[in-house]
Amino acid sequence: HYSGLEEAVFRNIQACKELAQTTRTAYGPNGMNKMVINHLEKLFVTNDAATILRELEVQHPAAKMLVMASHMQEQEVGDGTNFVLVFAGVLLELAEDLLRMGLSVSEASYIVIEGYEKACKKALEILPDLVCCSAKNLRDVEEVASLLHTSVMSKQYGNEHFLTKLIAQACVSVVPDSGHFNVDNIRVCKIVGAGISASSVLHGMVFKKETEGDVTSVKDAKIAVYSCPFDVMITETKGTVLIKNAEELMNFSKGEENLMDLQVKAIADSGANVVVTGGKVADMALHYANKYNLMLVRLNSKWDLRRLCKTVGATALPRLTPPTLEEMGHCDSVYLSEVGDTQVVVFKHEKEDGAISTILIRGSTDNLMDDIERAVDDGVNTFKVLTRDKRFVPGGGATEIELAKQITSYGETCPGLDQYAIKKFAEAFEAIPRALAENSGVKANEVISKLYAVHQEGNKNVGFDIEAEAAAVKDMLEAGVLDTYLGKSWGIKLATNAAVTVLRVDQIIMAKPAGGPKPPSGKKDWDEDQND
């Protein structure tokens, strides 16, 4: 029998196990999709753990620790969130077996935590020896596409060859000479219709908008960007105009027209032939823009305005003043196009090396395109990781089985009780090939015993073959199934930290008023003298 505090530890572990089980069946290319309906009743159909966790409202404080660890992985690496969850969940599941072995829970927790931390340190020492290859040239589209296969394959199995080509083209075209790659420089525009194979890459930006005026296409565009409405400037203070007769009224409106005419003419005379505004466009201003052959585009989002400024090299002006040459942006062509039945405005650079690239995604439903967008995000994040560290470790459970084998041997050499925790840590790595096998409908125990047998012979790169009918293994380096070294090392670190933090907790204290009946409100004037 356990005391109330000791039971709390097991309840925490149980909550974390249930959360990890949710995403475990979504692991790998053959993972099942989840239908998540969030608090706004928006439907998500995906097997992306980061999205599932973002839309779930996890209430249990211990389970929130795992969610925070996977969010951290998402921020740090941009991929591998499911690995963190599955691995942390299994670490806690195996810790529960050790805690129930007979020692007091607080004593056993201390031993398990110490063993896990030693094993994590050892795993991170072994990991550099498991590196099987490195990226050579990040400006070669073919090479980059082959390296992004694994991260895209886990979300879009079957479409990875086509999508990685698009992502590689987009990434290589915007990577600067300094090598500091920014994920925001790859934009995604989703348009319903056609199929995935109709998706394409554009160097520049695409907006789902229509042009405001009559001009719909401009070559060699000089772009003036305004963050204010395209309208007559309103004075800071209110002014009252006293009009005595009809003639004065006519002159007043004529003065406003002349003023607008002069403003638009000044913009046209400065050499600008495209005007982008962040506010509303007045009818009169539109009339004069058409008169001087200016193309007008209205963007409601200030973020879009900023990105466009970055793409074309313009400065957003706060007032309708004619732009100088330095403030104007340049672009090879701006034109209104129709994709499917959706009107889009395209700001296109003919040169390969622009500041921003857009991947135009086509698909039959919004849910499908959202899922492709998540796969694109993972691919782009993997490219960013490669600009920081070009090393790869074999995927498909090969790295995990090799770590499990070596950490078990290390556990044998450790005296003291923490050797049990170290061996359990090694056993936890088996969960990754096990999840891949179970989700592919193959006997997991058979796969794991085959992997151990091959790894004992010294074949470090052999992992589970998903495409085979039965339990089969193959060389992951030859198959091109590779995980980033950084993603794996951060995943192990964060999962261990999350599991250890949950094991350190023996009590959850909620700072909320306790339930039960409300205290009586009492009489209002209780301190008044009764005799008065």
Side-chain angles (χ1 to χ4, degrees):
H1 291 286
Y2 297 102
S3 70
L5 287 184
E6 291 173 335
E7 276 298 340
V9 175
F10 294 123
R11 280 199 299 273
N12 291 348
I13 291 174
Q14 186 59 35
C16 295
K17 273 161 55 181
E18 284 172 14
L19 179 68
Q21 192 55 44
T22 309
T23 57
R24 187 174 174 170
T25 52
Y27 193 85
N30 293 332
M32 301 295 282
N33 280 352
K34 307 287 178 193
M35 259 190 186
V36 183
I37 297 163
N38 71 358
H39 63 292
L40 300 172
E41 300 204 354
K42 185 172 186 232
L43 175 71
F44 295 84
V45 182
T46 181
N47 65 351
D48 178 32
T51 308
I52 295 167
L53 289 182
R54 195 168 49 245
E55 300 308 329
L56 282 181
E57 290 186 23
V58 178
Q59 295 292 330
H60 198 284
K64 274 186 183 167
M65 300 302 301
L66 295 201
V67 175
M68 283 156 70
S70 75
H71 281 332
M72 195 64 230
Q73 174 81 353
E74 176 73 8
Q75 285 170 13
E76 197 61 46
V77 183
D79 197 6
T81 45
N82 209 345
F83 170 78
V84 173
L85 263 181
V86 171
F87 188 50
V90 175
L91 283 176
L92 288 167
E93 198 173 320
L94 296 173
E96 187 179 6
D97 298 346
L98 292 173
L99 297 184
R100 291 191 189 276
M101 269 182 161
L103 287 172
S104 74
V105 170
S106 54
E107 220 176 325
S109 291
Y110 175 72
I111 293 166
V112 172
I113 288 165
E114 201 172 314
Y116 275 5
E117 283 175 342
K118 272 188 190 173
C120 177
K121 194 175 172 193
K122 184 69 181 170
L124 295 174
E125 282 172 22
I126 298 168
L127 204 59
D129 301 336
L130 305 185
V131 171
C132 60
C133 68
S134 294
K136 293 176 183 66
N137 178 13
L138 290 182
R139 294 185 185 279
D140 175 7
V141 174
E142 290 298 325
E143 186 188 343
V144 170
S146 67
L147 297 175
L148 300 182
H149 262 193
T150 314
S151 64
V152 176
M153 194 194 285
S154 61
K155 304 283 177 298
Q156 284 293 321
Y157 189 38
N159 300 319
E160 70 271 10
H161 292 285
F162 177 71
L163 288 175
T164 48
K165 203 82 170 274
L166 292 186
I167 299 165
Q169 283 172 8
C171 292
V172 170
S173 69
V174 300
V175 68
D177 296 330
S178 63
H180 294 303
F181 176 75
N182 186 357
V183 181
D184 270 352
N185 292 349
I186 306 289
R187 308 302 310 156
V188 171
C189 184
K190 297 174 289 191
I191 296 172
V192 176
I196 295 177
S197 54
S199 305
S200 57
V201 175
L202 274 165
H203 303 296
M205 289 200 80
V206 179
F207 298 103
K208 282 202 269 188
K209 293 272 175 201
E210 291 189 40
T211 52
E212 296 290 325
D214 296 341
V215 184
T216 55
S217 174
V218 172
K219 284 264 187 289
D220 189 24
K222 294 178 178 56
I223 304 163
V225 181
Y226 295 101
S227 55
C228 60
F230 197 58
D231 198 353
V232 178
M233 276 186 284
I234 300 163
T235 51
E236 296 280 329
T237 53
K238 286 249 167 35
T240 311
V241 180
L242 193 63
I243 293 172
K244 294 190 176 116
N245 53 38
E247 196 180 336
E248 284 181 3
L249 181 61
M250 292 287 286
N251 290 340
F252 176 73
S253 59
K254 202 172 282 175
E256 195 178 4
E257 284 172 27
N258 292 341
L259 183 66
M260 193 76 243
D261 190 357
L262 287 170
Q263 277 181 335
V264 178
K265 187 174 188 298
I267 293 168
D269 289 347
S270 69
N273 48 17
V274 177
V275 173
V276 179
T277 174
K280 64 178 180 29
V281 177
D283 291 345
M284 197 193 304
L286 185 59
H287 164 73
Y288 286 114
N290 289 338
K291 179 181 169 185
Y292 292 109
N293 263 350
L294 290 177
M295 183 175 179
L296 253 181
V297 181
R298 176 183 166 194
L299 297 178
N300 296 336
S301 159
K302 65 177 180 184
W303 304 108
D304 281 348
L305 210 65
R306 283 179 195 172
R307 285 193 191 104
L308 180 67
C309 287
K310 188 177 173 185
T311 311
V312 299
T315 307
L317 302 171
R319 292 167 61 214
L320 276 187
T321 50
T324 61
L325 278 172
E326 290 77 35
E327 290 165 340
M328 258 192 285
H330 298 275
C331 190
D332 291 323
S333 59
V334 181
Y335 57 91
L336 180 69
S337 179
E338 195 170 346
V339 179
D341 60 351
T342 310
Q343 300 281 342
V344 292
V345 176
V346 181
F347 289 79
K348 192 172 182 182
H349 286 287
E350 299 297 338
K351 296 195 305 297
E352 283 284 305
D353 50 345
I356 284 185
S357 270
T358 302
I359 297 176
L360 196 67
I361 293 176
R362 306 298 310 280
S364 51
T365 64
D366 286 328
N367 273 328
L368 176 69
M369 291 193 299
D370 288 344
D371 220 27
I372 295 168
E373 185 184 8
R374 287 188 273 273
V376 168
D377 274 351
D378 280 356
V380 172
N381 277 309
T382 303
F383 184 81
K384 186 185 179 189
V385 169
L386 292 183
T387 60
R388 286 158 52 195
D389 189 330
K390 294 182 177 179
R391 290 177 291 175
F392 279 96
V393 291
T399 305
E400 284 78 9
I401 289 290
E402 187 60 32
L403 283 169
K405 188 191 95 177
Q406 295 198 29
I407 291 170
T408 306
S409 309
Y410 167 67
E412 302 284 348
T413 64
C414 291
L417 285 171
D418 53 5
Q419 63 168 297
Y420 295 106
I422 292 171
K423 286 180 189 170
K424 287 288 185 193
F425 189 92
E427 193 188 320
F429 278 115
E430 292 176 10
I432 300 304
R434 189 179 290 277
L436 288 171
E438 284 170 359
N439 294 343
S440 304
V442 176
K443 286 183 183 141
N445 290 341
E446 207 177 314
V447 170
I448 286 168
S449 60
K450 278 190 180 178
L451 284 173
Y452 271 126
V454 177
H455 278 254
Q456 288 297 347
E457 293 164 11
N459 301 321
K460 290 182 182 177
N461 297 341
V462 173
F464 168 54
D465 181 5
I466 328 178
E467 289 161 353
E469 300 271 317
V473 294
K474 67 175 175 185
D475 191 307
M476 291 289 124
L477 180 56
E478 286 171 17
V481 179
L482 305 165
D483 286 332
T484 55
Y485 170 81
L486 267 188
K488 198 63 81 182
S489 68
W490 271 107
I492 294 169
K493 225 180 295 183
L494 290 167
T496 311
N497 284 352
V500 164
T501 310
V502 171
L503 290 172
R504 281 190 203 278
V505 174
D506 72 341
Q507 202 171 8
I508 295 171
I509 304 165
M510 300 287 272
K512 283 183 180 173
K518 294 273 180 286
S521 55
K523 293 196 183 76
K524 223 177 190 180
D525 309 319
W526 57 272
D527 58 342
E528 292 288 322
D529 196 346
Q530 298 294 322
N531 301 328
D532 280 1

